[in-house]
Amino acid sequence: TSRHVETEVGSLFVEEHGRPSGPAVLLWPSLYCAGSMWRAQIAELANTYRVLVLDPPGHGRSGRPPARFSMADTAEATMAVLDAFGIRSVTMVGSAWGGMVGVQLAATVPERVHALVMINSPMDRWRGFQRAQLALLTALIGLAGPRPVEPLITRAMLSRRFRVAEPDRAHAFAADLRSFGRRGLFRAVRSVMLDRPSLLPLLGGLTVPVLAIAGAEDQLWTVRRARAETATIPDLRFEVVPGTAHLSAYEDPAAVNRLVIEFLDTAADPTPEN
């Protein structure tokens, strides 16, 4: 089933899969991705869990977000989605942006988050030359939309090995990216990449179990940076997926699914009050 939910960050398109009586899992994608990036995860998780997957604001079938929004706004939006589906507590599974949303939600309203999976999810602000590059990319999206910068984004998000070995899936990612509306995508990218404050101060106070997954070839959230940024999380399991870049869940779903399901088997709420 699917519906649109009105939230602080616009109208979000949400699909529901799996067992209505199962523990709830919410999948939030990365920037530049719609909920379809989770197809392989949905197929695995739906056997046991109640799975919600959304298109982020400015992506896919969701509406255009406000001109600027904050991580706090995304936490409010996530609670609106949970309320719309009658879910008290959820395990958040987020890729990049989705991991940031999960941290904000778990820090703000820990009673609504049972556990958190953050995949390829930078926590600190972008700085220096890397921030300047991202600012230029954001400006180009604002001027001309995603089409001119799609090759740059594809190379940054997907490893060379994946682009060569699975060209059809790499092309599918690129096609989805080109389909997103210019203004909505620009607002999302500016708010999430440039306006976002560091989330590092929140990590030490998390009270939920956390699985952090890094891609061995990820140049945006390197394994070294990922280990350093997540070191203060009290209840942490840290894993690295070989051969993947900034979309480990998309590039190697089998490896990521194994890690996520092992984690959920011990961390997911066995008696949800949905």
Side-chain angles (χ1 to χ4, degrees):
T1 61
S2 64
R3 70 176 82 168
H4 279 87
V5 179
E6 298 303 320
T7 77
E8 295 283 329
V9 294
S11 178
L12 298 183
F13 178 81
V14 187
E15 291 182 341
E16 181 179 11
H17 302 265
R19 297 177 55 200
S21 61
V25 176
L26 174 62
L27 307 179
W28 186 300
S30 169
L31 271 173
Y32 310 120
C33 295
S36 56
M37 73 156 283
W38 296 113
R39 189 171 291 116
Q41 283 72 42
I42 294 167
E44 288 280 349
L45 296 175
N47 294 320
T48 305
Y49 299 95
R50 182 184 184 188
V51 182
L52 301 185
V53 55
L54 56 78
D55 289 347
H59 295 64
R61 290 163 285 185
S62 287
R64 183 186 300 166
R68 277 187 157 88
F69 59 90
S70 67
M71 283 294 116
D73 293 331
T74 63
E76 290 286 343
T78 305
M79 286 191 285
V81 170
L82 298 181
D83 291 344
F85 284 84
I87 294 172
R88 174 188 60 83
S89 180
V90 71
T91 294
M92 285 286 296
V93 179
S95 175
W97 180 7
M100 302 171 197
V101 177
V103 166
Q104 183 71 52
L105 187 68
T108 306
V109 282
E111 66 274 14
R112 303 301 300 266
V113 181
H114 188 77
L116 170 62
V117 180
M118 43 189 287
I119 310 171
N120 310 113
S121 297
M123 291 289 109
D124 202 0
R125 295 191 68 181
W126 300 108
R127 302 177 190 278
F129 180 66
Q130 195 169 38
R131 180 178 176 85
Q133 287 182 307
L134 294 174
L136 177 59
L137 177 71
T138 304
L140 290 172
I141 291 173
L143 288 171
R147 187 172 291 272
V149 297
E150 172 267 304
L152 296 173
I153 294 172
T154 298
R155 287 196 295 272
M157 301 286 279
L158 301 174
S159 68
R160 184 178 184 279
R161 177 207 58 81
F162 179 81
R163 300 196 310 270
V164 171
E166 301 202 45
D168 289 346
R169 295 185 62 221
H171 292 156
F173 165 82
D176 275 354
L177 172 57
R178 291 194 299 268
S179 73
F180 301 150
R182 175 185 63 84
R183 187 174 298 176
L185 182 63
F186 167 71
R187 291 177 174 183
V189 172
R190 179 175 62 185
S191 295
V192 175
M193 287 209 308
L194 299 181
D195 293 350
R196 172 180 58 84
S198 174
L199 299 175
L200 293 179
L202 303 180
L203 299 183
L206 294 179
T207 58
V208 302
V210 177
L211 169 63
I213 299 176
E217 308 301 323
D218 190 348
Q219 298 304 305
L220 295 173
W221 201 47
T222 64
V223 172
R224 180 178 180 180
R225 177 178 174 185
R227 288 189 187 278
E229 290 190 354
T230 58
T232 62
I233 297 175
D235 187 356
L236 174 70
R237 176 179 174 184
F238 187 91
E239 300 285 351
V240 177
V241 180
T244 63
H246 200 57
L247 284 181
S248 295
Y250 188 72
E251 287 197 46
D252 194 346
V256 170
N257 288 353
R258 176 179 58 80
L259 295 172
V260 170
I261 290 172
E262 287 176 0
F263 177 72
L264 293 183
D265 283 345
T266 60
D269 189 347
T271 56
E273 298 175 12
N274 297 337

